[in-house]
Amino acid sequence: MFELTGKKAIVTGASSGLGVQFALALARQGADVALLARRLDRLEAVKAQIMALGRQCLAIKCDVSVETEVQAAVAQVNQAFGRIDILANNAGVSAIAPAEQMTEADWDKVIDIDLKAVWLMAKHVGQYMINQGYGKIINTSSIFGLVGNSSFPVVAYHAAKFGVVGLTKALAGEWAKHNITVNAIGPGFFDSEMTHAVIETPDFNQYVAAGCPMKRIGREGELDGAMIYFASDASSYTTGQIIAVDGGWTSI
């Protein structure tokens, strides 16, 4: 039920961090993968890893917050692969500043990449999925899309990730009739390019010890199971759901 052989996938934000892990997880289960991000040189390195697994892979430079680039990239993937079965919306950024001090530019950057881009990718991939009568969309939200926090001033990130949860549920309801499932993963803290500087501090270790029942951050590979579940036919009757992979953080 978790087999993805022959499936064609797109992963955004695939040049580093969780995007790389998601792309490799899909490829290991048999999927051919198109990698989208702004840093083409890094995508080429990931492409080499995927091709070494015997899978087809495309590396496409794309700013997923720009609709013309999204439309062109999605069309390129569909032309090369013949269909698009899986979309993993993973691209993300953050901006740290108290709500009363955050600039409009920082707010717009976070909302554009973390929320608008999820809609843009779903919009253009969704058109192909509707035509073929099949699709699996997996959005990356966050535990900060499920709860607030009093330690990190990231109000735009919260707003965007809560928005991803709402968008996931709305698309799930709208596209279920087309045999398209839309779900989301809500990671807790994982080591990535975006989080590395924060999680290496003593204060953060105390924060995790106090807030996470497992008293640690996530390890590489611990998101793969949720991704494969949502991307495969094991989740054929699951849509509009958010799985928090967070060591129990949102359970208390």
Side-chain angles (χ1 to χ4, degrees):
M1 293 180 70
F2 298 93
E3 180 64 43
L4 298 178
T5 298
K7 300 295 187 183
K8 313 299 182 181
I10 295 177
V11 180
T12 71
S15 61
S16 66
L18 302 185
V20 175
Q21 293 180 39
F22 289 149
L24 289 171
L26 293 169
R28 290 187 188 109
Q29 291 301 112
D32 299 319
V33 185
L35 311 169
L36 272 60
R38 290 176 292 184
R39 296 175 294 187
L40 186 58
D41 57 330
R42 294 199 178 190
L43 289 181
E44 291 292 350
V46 183
K47 177 181 176 179
Q49 295 181 65
I50 290 175
M51 293 188 71
L53 296 171
R55 311 297 176 222
Q56 296 182 57
C57 187
L58 301 174
I60 302 173
K61 182 178 181 181
C62 179
D63 183 339
V64 291
S65 68
V66 178
E67 184 163 19
T68 54
E69 293 193 27
V70 168
Q71 187 172 16
V74 171
Q76 182 179 343
V77 175
N78 189 70
Q79 183 176 23
F81 284 168
R83 60 186 290 117
I84 303 169
D85 301 294
I86 301 160
L87 168 62
N89 268 317
N90 174 72
V93 297
S94 188
I96 299 177
E100 72 277 12
Q101 297 175 18
M102 179 165 288
T103 66
E104 185 177 6
D106 279 346
W107 172 274
D108 287 346
K109 178 182 72 174
V110 174
I111 298 299
D112 280 354
I113 295 175
D114 291 11
L115 180 56
K116 185 181 83 170
V118 176
W119 164 66
L120 286 175
M121 287 297 304
K123 171 185 175 180
H124 288 283
V125 171
Q127 292 170 18
Y128 292 101
M129 289 180 169
I130 288 169
N131 289 336
Q132 67 197 22
Y134 179 89
K136 312 289 282 186
I137 297 176
I138 307 98
N139 299 324
T140 302
S141 182
S142 167
I143 57 170
F144 283 1
L146 298 170
V147 296
N149 92 97
S150 58
S151 298
F152 299 100
V154 288
V155 63
Y157 187 79
H158 277 291
K161 293 303 186 178
F162 268 89
V164 169
V165 171
L167 178 62
T168 297
K169 291 181 177 294
L171 290 175
E174 193 168 330
W175 287 350
K177 63 187 177 184
H178 299 296
N179 195 31
I180 298 169
T181 63
V182 188
N183 294 288
I185 299 173
F189 286 97
F190 284 77
D191 191 3
S192 69
E193 187 175 17
M194 186 170 67
T195 63
H196 186 74
V198 172
I199 67 176
E200 289 297 308
T201 64
D203 287 347
F204 181 79
N205 291 331
Q206 293 178 13
Y207 176 64
V208 171
C212 179
M214 289 190 179
K215 302 190 182 305
R216 64 173 177 85
I217 65 170
R219 297 174 181 140
E220 183 174 343
E222 288 188 320
L223 291 168
D224 291 1
M227 173 58 66
I228 298 305
Y229 171 64
F230 283 145
S232 71
D233 288 333
S235 60
S236 59
Y237 196 55
T238 304
T239 196
Q241 302 305 304
I242 291 82
I243 291 182
V245 185
D246 63 356
W249 200 294
T250 53
S251 69
I252 59 173

